[in-house]
Amino acid sequence: MDGKQCAGSVLGLANQIKRVFDTTTGRCGTQIRILNFVLVSYPDREIYQKDIEEELNIRSASVSMLLKKMEAQDFIRREKVSSDDRLKKVLPTSHTVEMKEQVERHIALLEKRLTAGIGAEELEIFSDVLKKMQENMELTEKGVGYG
């Protein structure tokens, strides 16, 4: 499989996963991913917008827009940090904390469907290849180029 076919396959799978997840949850899959990250981290770790950007590999403007929507929908709240007025912690609302098990079930079900019939060794290889592809794309974004 050459690079073009590989990229097309990865993009196609990503679109399928997004469609299924959005339909299953009735929400934007990216919002669910953000909620899950915040819920898994809460209350042990303070989460900031930058953490979400890095963990989920989403650009700053996109995360900012999603957080505004999620705040308006009462899924998260943002709280100023006393040491830096520009910095805001991202916290789940009580409504969202109650949804934690439901969010985890949706993610577990998606993972189960996605990996059905695939052995542990195959998943390990896939994970290694995917990680290498992500590293290649990070180098490309930094201007290192192809090759």
Side-chain angles (χ1 to χ4, degrees):
M1 175 182 290
D2 67 26
K4 184 176 180 185
Q5 290 173 328
C6 188
S9 295
V10 170
L11 290 170
L13 178 60
N15 287 336
Q16 280 182 296
I17 291 169
K18 182 179 178 352
R19 275 194 312 271
V20 168
F21 200 64
D22 290 359
T23 302
T24 304
T25 63
R27 301 233 164 261
C28 166
T30 307
Q31 285 185 357
I32 297 296
R33 290 174 60 213
I34 291 171
L35 284 177
N36 186 57
F37 178 60
V38 171
L39 287 168
V40 166
S41 303
Y42 180 80
D44 301 325
R45 174 180 168 207
E46 292 185 349
I47 300 295
Y48 302 95
Q49 179 173 330
K50 188 74 172 163
D51 299 319
I52 295 167
E53 293 166 14
E54 290 173 0
E55 178 70 20
L56 303 179
N57 194 20
I58 306 172
R59 298 204 187 277
S60 176
S62 298
V63 172
S64 182
M65 178 192 67
L66 285 164
L67 290 178
K68 283 179 189 172
K69 284 182 182 179
M70 292 170 72
E71 196 167 24
Q73 296 169 335
D74 196 36
F75 286 119
I76 59 138
R77 62 188 173 88
R78 291 188 272 187
E79 192 176 280
K80 286 187 179 181
V81 177
S82 60
S83 60
D84 187 344
D85 284 341
R86 298 168 298 169
L87 202 56
K88 292 182 182 179
K89 290 188 280 190
V90 177
L91 301 161
T93 61
S94 58
H95 166 71
T96 304
V97 172
E98 292 171 7
M99 292 175 49
K100 182 176 182 178
E101 285 182 24
Q102 181 184 6
V103 168
E104 289 172 344
R105 271 195 316 273
H106 282 300
I107 291 170
L109 180 60
L110 177 68
E111 287 290 326
K112 186 176 180 179
R113 287 179 180 163
L114 186 62
T115 59
I118 303 171
E121 187 176 324
E122 291 172 300
L123 286 173
E124 185 71 29
I125 291 167
F126 174 75
S127 179
D128 292 344
V129 170
L130 189 59
K131 184 177 179 181
K132 182 61 181 164
M133 288 178 174
Q134 288 172 322
E135 290 169 359
N136 291 343
M137 291 297 92
E138 287 171 12
L139 290 172
T140 301
E141 284 180 327
K142 292 177 183 174
V144 175
Y146 295 96

